[in-house]
């Protein structure tokens, strides 16, 4: 049995030695200003033990990791009907790419590219004011993390809104195909705010427990989603969670994972652990460079993989 307390500390120390940390996102000042030396790690295991190291209690912008929670919420609302409006295939393109949308009639490849997440936000908005829809998502995340302090960073949300021209383009383009039901600016409002949810590694790993436990926050606890749905969300994280680097992440880490341009990755070892890592420097695909490396080392040391046992 790997000593996880030791492992999280040793991986964090190893990462501190690495100079090439990738580049922090610069499209909005609140992300551009983050110190690339920050690093946090948290592993929550199936028995509820929590192992942390580094800046594990420092909140950061979860960005696209929010797409996992928003997808869970949308599936809860409309179930399988979601798949009439969003695909389930890896895109092989960047997270904010527009090229496939024209060829594929405004149906995004998957719920984790921005276009797909905008459709998911549009589903979550149905019957609500944008403020209420985002409040609902926030409550859901707080519940799953068992932490009422999780909040939206309004400065990030404003900055997303002011600079999100590509997202505005994606939303308008899908609206032209009839794949957004609401005025694009309302759907975008929900999306920009979900990207601006601020969480620490500890909170993120706790929020990911339902994907480790087949839809329950804790073993024996109430069911949040069905085991089949939890498996399927994990499948999408594995195949699409790192955009055009999803194959490489599966190869190196072997676990479902979702990244965000804030430098976070949430990874799930089904039945074993929920892991959150944060290192703000990104690789050329917009995924945390050291976050990926740290997860690779953790997977190697523990033998956790969805592709086979040690
Ligand atoms: N806010 C970012 C965007 O919409 C989120 C992208 C990401 O985290 N990959 O462009």
């Amino acid at each position: 049995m790997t000593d996880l307390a030791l492992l999280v500390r040793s991986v964090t120390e190893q990462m501190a030695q690495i100079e090439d940390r990738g580049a922090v996102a610069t499209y909005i000042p609140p992300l551009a200003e983050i110190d690339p030396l920050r690093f946090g790690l948290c592993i929550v295991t199936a028995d509820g033990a929590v192992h942390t190291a580094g800046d594990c209690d420092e909140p950061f912008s979860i960005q696209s990791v929010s797409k996992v929670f928003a997808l869970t919420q949308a599936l809860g609302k409309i179930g399988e009907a979601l798949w009439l409006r969003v695909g389930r295939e890896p895109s092989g393109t960047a997270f904010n790419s527009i090229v496939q949308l024209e060829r594929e009639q405004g149906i995004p490849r998957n719920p984790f590219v921005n276009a797909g997440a905008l459709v998911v936000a549009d589903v979550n908005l149905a019957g609500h004011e944008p403020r209420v829809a985002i409040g609902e998502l926030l409550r859901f995340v707080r519940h799953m993390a068992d932490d009422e302090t999780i909040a939206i960073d309004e400065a990030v949300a404003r900055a997303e809104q002011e600079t999100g021209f590509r997202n505005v383009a994606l939303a308008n383009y899908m609206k032209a195909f009839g794949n957004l039901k609401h005025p694009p600016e309302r759907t975008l409002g929900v999306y920009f705010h979900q990207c601006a949810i601020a969480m620490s590694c500890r909170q993120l790993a706790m929020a990911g427990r339902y994907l480790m436990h087949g839809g329950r926050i804790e073993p024996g606890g109430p069911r949040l989603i069905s085991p089949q749905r939890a498996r399927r969300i994990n499948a999408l994280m594995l195949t699409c969670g790192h955009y055009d680097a999803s194959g490489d992440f599966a190869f190196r880490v072997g676990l479902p994972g979702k990244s965000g341009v804030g430098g976070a990755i949430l990874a799930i070892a089904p039945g074993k652990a929920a892991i959150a890592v944060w290192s703000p420097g990104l690789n050329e695909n917009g995924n945390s460079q050291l976050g990926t490396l740290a997860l690779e080392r953790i997977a190697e040391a523990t033998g956790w993989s969805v592709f086979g046992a040690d």
Side-chain angles (χ1 to χ4, degrees):
M1 261 277 281
T2 321
D3 182 338
L4 292 177
L6 200 67
L7 180 67
V8 293
R9 278 201 305 276
S10 111
V11 167
T12 301
E13 278 159 22
Q14 290 166 36
M15 295 304 119
Q17 307 301 317
I18 297 177
E19 274 170 30
D20 178 10
R21 308 178 76 83
V24 300
T26 52
Y27 71 99
I28 50 171
L31 291 185
E33 286 156 10
I34 306 236
D35 177 0
L37 292 175
R38 307 316 292 273
F39 183 91
L41 179 58
C42 178
I43 301 181
V44 181
T45 50
D47 59 3
V50 180
H51 303 282
T52 57
D55 303 311
C56 58
D57 287 308
E58 173 90 13
F60 47 80
S61 187
I62 69 166
Q63 292 290 331
S64 285
V65 182
S66 67
K67 293 169 180 171
V68 175
F69 307 128
L71 171 66
T72 307
Q73 187 186 25
L75 286 170
K77 285 175 189 284
I78 64 166
E80 300 299 298
L82 179 68
W83 307 120
L84 301 172
R85 294 174 59 187
V86 193
R88 305 189 295 247
E89 289 295 338
S91 67
T93 59
F95 61 87
N96 54 8
S97 172
I98 199 164
V99 289
Q100 281 164 347
L101 274 183
E102 179 165 29
R103 238 181 292 122
E104 298 175 6
Q105 322 287 299
I107 308 287
R109 271 288 173 101
N110 65 66
F112 294 151
V113 289
N114 286 13
L118 284 163
V119 172
V120 168
D122 196 64
V123 168
N124 288 335
L125 178 56
H128 292 309
E129 284 301 310
R131 204 176 335 104
V132 176
I134 190 69
E136 198 178 72
L137 180 65
L138 192 59
R139 267 201 309 284
F140 185 51
V141 171
R142 285 174 174 166
H143 173 66
M144 290 185 301
D146 191 19
D147 192 327
E148 290 300 310
T149 67
I150 296 168
I152 288 172
D153 184 330
E154 288 297 338
V156 172
R158 249 190 327 275
E160 294 284 339
Q161 204 117 31
E162 282 162 9
T163 61
F165 302 110
R166 286 185 80 111
N167 289 320
V168 172
L170 290 167
N172 278 294
Y173 204 56
M174 289 190 292
K175 181 74 179 171
F177 280 105
N179 200 15
L180 286 194
K181 307 294 178 212
H182 302 90
E185 62 277 10
R186 289 168 81 83
T187 302
L188 284 158
V190 175
Y191 175 72
F192 289 138
H193 280 80
Q194 77 176 54
C195 287
I197 295 175
M199 289 170 84
S200 67
C201 285
R202 186 192 301 270
Q203 291 167 334
L204 195 54
M206 292 292 277
R209 287 173 301 171
Y210 75 105
L211 295 173
M212 132 170 77
H213 292 305
R216 302 179 198 268
I217 295 175
E218 286 163 340
R223 197 172 274 301
L224 213 67
I225 59 173
S226 72
Q228 182 199 51
R229 184 161 291 165
R231 280 198 294 274
R232 288 178 162 181
I233 293 170
N234 283 335
L236 289 164
M237 288 169 72
L238 185 89
T239 53
C240 313
H242 283 70
Y243 317 111
D244 39 346
S246 298
D248 195 56
F249 188 84
F251 181 85
R252 290 175 59 192
V253 180
L255 298 173
K258 183 74 208 79
S259 69
V261 286
I265 303 176
L266 172 63
I268 306 297
K272 300 199 163 65
I275 312 166
V277 61
W278 173 52
S279 173
L282 308 177
N283 62 21
E284 63 282 4
N285 300 107
N287 303 314
S288 176
Q289 181 155 312
L290 293 193
T292 308
L293 183 61
L295 288 167
E296 191 178 0
R297 301 241 167 120
I298 290 166
E300 201 177 287
T302 55
W304 292 337
S305 166
V306 294
F307 297 109
D310 265 8

